[in-house]
Amino acid sequence: MGLDLYAKIEPFLDFEEEVYTLHKEFLRFVMTNDLDNIIDIGCGQGYFLENLKVNKKKYFGIDLSVEQIKVCQAKGLNAQAIALKDVKEKFDCATAIFDVLNYIPKEELKTFLKEIYFVLNKEAYFIFDVNSYFGFDEIAQGCITIDVEDKFIAIDANFEDEKLQTDITLFEKHENGLFSKEQDSIIQEYHSKEFLTKVLEETGFELIEIKEFNLHTDEIADKLIFICKK
């Protein structure tokens, strides 16, 4: 699904400020509620895991991208490239940060939430964010080109029929002077507040709060943060 290719280009996307801002919000919740024993689902290159580690929290990260997990493990982080259904341990909190649930198709979302429910202890928290419709329609779609060092990156994102398709092209120059080309796509789906509320309740989660969050703009909230409890 393009996740390994995304892992290659992520360091060049200049999202450090957004990463810091959103992770700070999640970490505030963890620290305020004195939570420990946390699983970060879709942990990427482990930025949030590093925050948990610094704050001496027990943590475990999972991601389907082998390339992302290689970066985590190179940092000495406790993370594995395994599917959620293969996790055997139980946790007191689960996080899914930077629109992880938007990568899950609507017809698979209930199964995914059941898998999260299964790995949580009784009264454990589940906190996640998703893109709002405004976030997809006004913020996420568009074109970006990056020309840096020995790489040229082109990203084209188009939002249509409540799905965002992001096409990624990477040209890399090698020592022999020749370029290699990689292309792949990532699909994300818009999930409405009403749909998520319904599926969460059907799965057994108690929805405690939905917070509007402005990550990329001060206009309209481009993200929603859901706080749930088992």
Side-chain angles (χ1 to χ4, degrees), residues 24-36 38 48 51-52 54-57:
K24 183 179 178 182
E25 186 71 15
F26 276 74
L27 188 62
R28 180 186 293 116
F29 181 83
V30 168
M31 301 304 288
T32 300
N33 292 277
D34 196 24
L35 300 176
D36 203 354
I38 298 158
F48 190 63
N51 285 318
L52 296 175
V54 165
N55 285 279
K56 303 188 185 310
K57 298 293 184 181

Side-chain angles (χ1 to χ4, degrees), residues 35 61 63 74 79 113 115 117 120 132 163 197 216 221 230:
L35 300 176
D63 201 287
L113 290 172
E115 291 172 355
Y117 194 88
L120 292 176
S132 68
K163 292 184 180 182
T197 299
H216 298 279
K230 179 172 176 178

Side-chain angles (χ1 to χ4, degrees), residues 112-172:
F112 183 72
L113 290 172
K114 283 180 179 178
E115 291 172 355
I116 296 173
Y117 194 88
F118 179 77
V119 301
L120 292 176
N121 290 315
K122 187 178 179 181
E123 297 190 352
Y125 284 96
F126 172 40
I127 175 171
F128 66 92
D129 68 272
V130 290
N131 286 318
S132 68
Y133 192 91
F134 176 83
F136 272 127
D137 194 41
E138 297 293 335
I139 304 297
Q141 67 174 337
C143 301
I144 301 172
T145 57
I146 301 167
D147 191 354
V148 58
E149 299 173 1
D150 56 353
K151 296 176 178 62
F152 180 80
I153 301 163
I155 302 169
D156 186 10
N158 183 53
F159 184 57
E160 188 175 359
D161 298 328
E162 298 193 341
K163 292 184 180 182
L164 181 79
Q165 178 168 325
T166 303
D167 299 320
I168 304 170
T169 304
L170 169 65
F171 290 94
E172 281 190 288

Side-chain angles (χ1 to χ4, degrees), residues 178-191:
L178 299 177
F179 282 84
S180 62
K181 178 184 177 183
E182 290 184 71
Q183 284 183 301
D184 214 330
S185 298
I186 296 173
I187 304 291
Q188 289 179 277
E189 290 195 22
Y190 166 69
H191 301 316

Side-chain angles (χ1 to χ4, degrees), residues 54-111:
V54 165
N55 285 279
K56 303 188 185 310
K57 298 293 184 181
K58 184 181 177 184
Y59 69 89
F60 178 54
I62 62 170
D63 201 287
L64 294 178
S65 169
V66 173
E67 294 302 318
Q68 300 276 39
I69 293 301
K70 284 180 181 177
V71 175
C72 289
Q73 293 175 347
K75 296 176 181 178
L77 297 171
N78 181 24
Q80 291 183 26
I82 60 172
L84 181 57
K85 63 182 176 62
D86 296 323
V87 175
K88 305 304 180 187
E89 298 85 358
K90 300 283 188 179
F91 301 88
D92 295 324
C93 179
T95 57
I97 309 175
F98 268 109
D99 39 85
V100 168
L101 268 71
N102 290 125
Y103 289 95
I104 311 298
K106 282 183 172 58
E107 63 272 14
E108 298 176 19
L109 192 58
K110 192 170 183 178
T111 298

